[in-house]
Every structure is written in C-alpha cells, then in structure tokens.
Amino acid sequence: MHNVIDEIEARATWMPDWVLSLLIIGTMLAIGFAAHRLIFNGLTRIVASRDLFWRSLVARTEKPLRLLFLVTASAFAVTISPLTVTQTMVVRHLLLIAFIIVLAWMAKTALHIWTTVYLRRYKLDAEDNLLARKHVTQSRIMERTAGFLIIGMAVATSLMSFDAVRQYGVSLLASAGVAGIVLGLALQPVLKNVFAGIQLAITQPIRIDDALLVEGEWGNVEEITSTYVVVKIWDWRRLILPLSYFIEHPFQNWTRESASLIGTVMIYLDYTVPVDAVRKKVEEIVAQSRIWDRQVINVAVTDFREQTMEIRILASAPNAGKAFDLRCEIREKLIGFIQSDYPSSLPRFRTDLEQNGSKTGKNDVQPGIYHAL
C-alpha cells in the first residue's frame, strides 16, 4: 500500500494535493459504481430462479448495496490519497457513519421484505379472516419493534463513534444512580409503548381489522404502529390511542375469537299482538336475507311493561358490519308487517272508565280516549 502511495506521489509532484485527492476519490467512486453494476447484475441472474424473498431482497437492496460499494471505494481512495492526518480521520469517520447507516438500511429492508412475503399467504378480505388477522397483527408489530431497535442501535453506534459521546457514556456509568433515574423518567413514555407493543404482539387482545367498542365509539383497527393504534370509526373518523391504552383500560372486542356476531333487535308491541305470527314473520325475513349466516335465530318475549310487552329478536351474521345491516333489515320489514297486518298491536294508551249513569255528561270522558287532567 505504501509503495502505491509513493508511486502516485512521485508521478504527480506537479499537481496540488487536493486536486490529486479529488481525482483519486473520483476514480475510485467510478470503479465502485461499475463494480456494483457488475455484481448487482450477476446477483439478479443468480436469484432469477429463486423464491420471491431472494428476488425481492436483491431488487430492493440495489440502492443500499450501491452506497456500500461507494463507501468501500471511498475508504480505499482516502487511504491512497495525499490527505493530511486530520483530513483522513474526518473522512474516515464520515465513511464509518455511512457504513453503519447502510447496514441498518439493508437490515430494515430485509426485515420488511420478509414480513411482506410471509403475509402474502394471509388475506384480510377473506370471509373468515381470524387467522389472517392474528398473523398480520403479530408480524406488523414485531416488524415495527425490530425496526425501532435497528434504528436505535444504528444511532447509538454512530454516536458512540464520537469521542465526546463515548466519554459522556463512561461518565454516565460512573454516576449510574442519578443518570439511571433521569433517563428512566425521560424514556418512560417511549419504553412503555415499546413494551406494550411487544405484549400486544404476544397476547393479541387486538388485531388488525378487529371490531372494537372503545371510548364509546365503534370501529375497526386500521393500523397498529410501534407507539399508537388507529381505529377507523364507522363514520370514517379516526380514533388515535396509545398502545398502552389497550393494556391498561377495558374495551370491547367484537371479533376476538371469530368475526361472527349475534345482532339484537328490541321491539315493543301491544299485548294483543300474536307472538307466534311475529316469530314466524321474523324467521321468514331472516331466512330470505343474504346476510344471515344460518346459525342463530330466536324470538322471545323478554319483559312486560305497563303499556307494552318487550320482544327480543336475535339473529347472527358473519361480522359486526353485516350484523348491524341485518338488524336494520329486520326492523324495517317487521314494522311494515305489523303496520299492514296488525296495526292495532302498535303501542297505544288505554283508559278504563266507569260510568255511574246511563247518560254521559258534558264533563265525562268518552271511552277509548286518553284524557289528561
């Protein structure tokens, strides 16, 4: 190496050092770029017959691989360039940071490709997507957590390459008591959500596309990041909640074990309505509906009140959205049936009157009319 440097300096004594250094660095960058094209084309041909992961990995890492070649070529150029000691140390330090960034970039890209290829076998738009939601949620949370750790390690490694930061780290270790408390308090929200994300990935109280009733709002889990959860409300609003919320607060998950759900319809009718006729009509409505999943149908009188009786209708559907639509369909068709066939069975007021004489006075209340005093 020293012989090469001496030979270059002997042949270019007439040229300023900074010009010679630029020429050497430019030449080595051109060589590194050409070497990248040759090796990348060779890798592309090699993985052409391999599975999707390797083909995607080579295709998606073209830019970081090019940067890696350029960093390596620059490091070699700095070694043979007539730079001062200070200049050489500064450039090598920058190249070291660039090398760390390239490694983190490639690791994060490989992680994303593996997750994407792994999840291709699971379809969230399937009718029964419970297994898909389990794997998608777990994989996405672990991907984001691992990505956060990769970035954190890259930043920490880059900072530790500076002498001042390294000495500061030593001083922190020397005063670990106070520094540990301060650092713990400062990072408490971040670490809280990181550990909550890991816990959610393992226990899975919520998953992607789960139907939730949270904070008095109903919606579906749209996104789970490393720090928060996005719930898409039924009217397209978004409810943003920290990950720790789902560990510390109660909420309703309507699709925890399966997407199927039983919808409830309550109707209040007069005591004169024939319950068997209502039951038969409800069964007919549900049987003709495309939403019903053919599992649950039930009609029962569940309560008596002063003026009406309470009839509860249960019908199941494949998911929460369809259960809501099925309930609306039952209400619309059932009230139409009662209005046309049993209009007198709709809720009404009654007044029992006793008349003392055979004639009705002008202050008497006519039978069948509700009179408010």
Side-chain angles (χ1 to χ4, degrees):
M1 180 65 67
H2 291 288
N3 294 332
V4 175
I5 297 175
D6 295 339
E7 183 68 20
I8 292 175
E9 291 179 347
R11 292 178 179 275
T13 54
W14 57 272
M15 188 180 299
D17 290 344
W18 65 271
V19 175
L20 180 60
S21 299
L22 289 178
L23 287 176
I24 294 174
I25 294 174
T27 302
M28 293 307 302
L29 288 177
I31 294 174
F33 186 83
H36 166 262
R37 292 307 306 170
L38 290 174
I39 294 179
F40 178 76
N41 291 335
L43 290 175
T44 303
R45 287 192 294 270
I46 291 174
V47 301
S49 59
R50 303 290 295 272
D51 55 32
L52 179 61
F53 171 75
W54 293 106
R55 287 186 278 116
S56 300
L57 182 62
V58 172
R60 293 289 297 274
T61 55
E62 179 182 4
K63 292 181 179 180
L65 188 62
R66 182 190 301 128
L67 182 58
L68 180 62
F69 271 83
L70 296 180
V71 168
T72 304
S74 300
F76 182 74
V78 170
T79 303
I80 64 177
S81 297
L83 298 174
T84 64
V85 176
T86 302
Q87 292 173 340
T88 301
M89 291 180 59
V90 171
V91 175
R92 284 182 174 176
H93 195 184
L94 293 176
L95 292 176
L96 174 61
I97 295 176
F99 181 73
I100 295 171
I101 293 174
V102 169
L103 291 183
W105 187 1
M106 296 181 70
K108 202 168 183 303
T109 301
L111 176 65
H112 176 72
I113 292 173
W114 181 87
T115 305
T116 303
V117 173
Y118 174 74
L119 293 178
R120 283 171 62 90
R121 69 189 74 176
Y122 302 105
K123 303 295 183 182
L124 286 176
D125 55 355
E127 190 68 27
D128 185 6
N129 61 354
L130 176 61
L131 184 62
R133 289 187 288 109
K134 284 183 177 180
H135 286 271
V136 169
T137 302
Q138 203 166 41
S139 300
R140 292 302 184 197
I141 293 178
M142 296 305 294
E143 178 191 0
R144 289 187 172 93
T145 303
F148 177 81
L149 294 176
I150 290 173
I151 295 175
M153 291 178 62
V155 172
T157 306
S158 299
L159 292 176
M160 291 300 292
S161 65
F162 293 91
D163 293 336
V165 176
R166 190 184 304 114
Q167 293 174 2
Y168 180 69
V170 174
S171 64
L172 282 180
L173 291 177
S175 57
V178 178
I181 295 175
V182 173
L183 186 62
L185 292 176
L187 295 179
Q188 184 180 5
V190 177
L191 296 176
K192 185 179 182 180
N193 281 311
V194 169
F195 287 114
I198 297 174
Q199 188 173 355
L200 285 177
I202 297 174
T203 60
Q204 292 193 337
I206 59 171
R207 308 182 187 93
I208 297 294
D209 204 38
D210 266 352
L212 304 182
L213 184 62
V214 55
E215 294 291 318
E217 301 281 2
W218 181 87
N220 294 88
V221 177
E222 183 178 47
E223 184 181 4
I224 301 177
T225 71
S226 57
T227 55
Y228 62 87
V229 176
V230 180
V231 180
K232 183 179 180 181
I233 308 302
W234 64 272
D235 57 0
W236 296 357
R237 291 176 293 142
R238 264 61 174 185
L239 182 64
I240 312 298
L241 297 167
L243 285 177
S244 57
Y245 177 92
F246 296 94
I247 303 299
E248 301 173 352
H249 298 85
F251 60 93
Q252 293 185 30
N253 188 335
W254 291 10
T255 54
R256 180 68 180 87
E257 296 298 333
S258 68
S260 299
L261 199 67
I262 297 177
T264 304
V265 175
M266 309 298 293
I267 187 168
Y268 300 89
L269 300 173
D270 191 78
Y271 286 102
T272 60
V273 69
V275 178
D276 289 337
V278 174
R279 180 179 290 109
K280 183 177 180 181
K281 184 60 180 179
V282 170
E283 292 175 351
E284 177 185 338
I285 294 171
V286 173
Q288 294 176 354
S289 176
R290 297 181 180 180
I291 304 175
W292 186 43
D293 62 0
R294 304 300 189 269
Q295 293 188 27
V296 175
I297 176 64
N298 180 264
V299 178
V301 177
T302 54
D303 196 9
F304 285 147
R305 302 191 177 184
E306 293 181 358
Q307 303 292 339
T308 60
M309 62 179 173
E310 179 185 85
I311 298 179
R312 186 192 67 183
I313 302 168
L314 302 179
S316 58
N319 54 56
K322 291 184 178 180
F324 179 82
D325 294 338
L326 181 59
R327 292 162 61 196
C328 295
E329 182 179 351
I330 292 173
R331 291 190 189 101
E332 294 172 2
K333 294 183 178 180
L334 182 59
I335 195 64
F337 165 73
I338 295 173
Q339 288 173 343
S340 61
D341 289 25
Y342 302 97
S344 62
S345 297
L346 294 172
R348 59 179 179 172
F349 291 104
R350 290 190 180 86
T351 302
D352 294 331
L353 302 174
E354 293 183 359
Q355 298 182 2
N356 296 324
S358 59
K359 295 182 179 181
T360 303
K362 63 179 181 179
N363 293 327
D364 292 337
V365 179
Q366 297 296 325
I369 300 178
Y370 179 77
H371 181 68
L373 298 178

